[in-house]
Amino acid sequence: MAEAEALYVKQLRLPERMANHTGEFIIWDVGLGAAANVLTVLRATRDAECPVRIVSFDHTLQPLEFALENAASLGYFTDYEAAVERLIADHHITFTDAHRTVNWELHLGDFPSLLTQQLASSPAHPLPPPHAILFDAFSPAKNPAMWTQPLFANLFRFLDPARPCALPTYSRSTLMRVSLLLAGFYVGAGHATGEKEETTIAANTLDLISEPLDQKWLQRARNSTSAEPMWEPVYRQAPLAPETWEKLRRHLQFKLSS
């Protein structure tokens, strides 16, 4: 809960953004897990009156089911137990939370494959472009499929250029930041959380990033032995390839900071 508050709620300025928002505010929750991120966000933004749509993704419900069985000990399910029970059963729920309506849907399965399939077809119920993305996947070494450059490129394709959207994540790895930049995101240093002295935030507008990566970071990336993005879902470390470096240094973010 503390990490969710620092990494997502405060860094995304969700209470402020939602208080001034008109219409539905859409949040993608990539890595539902035990729902601590979503429930922390809901609780922290209960004063907002705009309707909220949450689109959660995960490949299993086991962590959430286990957490719900131990809800009394964990503490963060208060006021939301019934909603989570229905989400587990029906994968979709609409409920009233304070003065707003919450529409929460769950997509079970392989997230990279889901994005690829959605982009390749014209589904009857397409995924809505988000205003915020809670990106909480296991580390690149343990779960490389969730950190490839093609995944972030597909994720960026879902964004609406006219809808400001930011994505924080606990990782600060150079290869991940390079992947985000090549996908089209602007990228910055994120707030510290837990044992992490620095995290990462990416967005489709610089206005949502307080500390953009600069020329000094760019040179460190050029000299790094672990900066080349993972193009396949296989973890490995490598320096930037010449063609990757050329694309990276031409990113608008570094032209603006030069």
Side-chain angles (χ1 to χ4, degrees), residues 146-247:
M146 289 294 292
W147 300 90
T148 67
Q149 199 284 329
L151 174 98
F152 288 121
N154 284 342
L155 196 54
F156 188 81
R157 291 188 185 104
F158 273 94
L159 304 187
D160 180 346
R163 177 174 294 178
C165 178
L167 176 160
T169 182
Y170 64 86
S171 175
R172 58 175 294 181
S173 77
T174 303
L175 69 85
M176 182 272 299
R177 288 176 168 182
V178 172
S179 297
L180 287 165
L181 287 160
L182 293 186
F185 289 95
Y186 296 101
V187 179
H191 296 175
T193 175
E195 296 180 356
K196 296 282 186 178
E197 295 180 358
E198 185 176 288
T199 56
T200 296
I201 182 166
N204 60 350
T205 171
L206 272 174
D207 294 341
L208 292 176
I209 298 177
S210 58
E211 297 181 48
L213 302 180
D214 56 17
Q215 291 288 337
K216 290 182 179 179
W217 177 87
L218 184 62
Q219 290 304 316
R220 289 199 301 270
R222 187 178 192 183
N223 297 327
S224 173
T225 58
S226 181
E228 180 69 14
M230 292 185 293
W231 302 96
E232 302 289 339
V234 178
Y235 182 71
R236 55 97 185 95
Q237 295 179 314
L240 289 173
E243 58 271 22
T244 304
W245 164 249
E246 286 302 315
K247 293 177 182 177

Side-chain angles (χ1 to χ4, degrees), residues 10 21 31 38 43 88 93 102 131 142 148 209 227 237 253:
K10 292 181 179 179
H21 187 75
V38 170
R43 188 167 286 109
I88 290 173
I93 180 176
V102 176
H131 296 89
K142 293 183 178 179
T148 67
I209 298 177
Q237 295 179 314
Q253 175 167 332

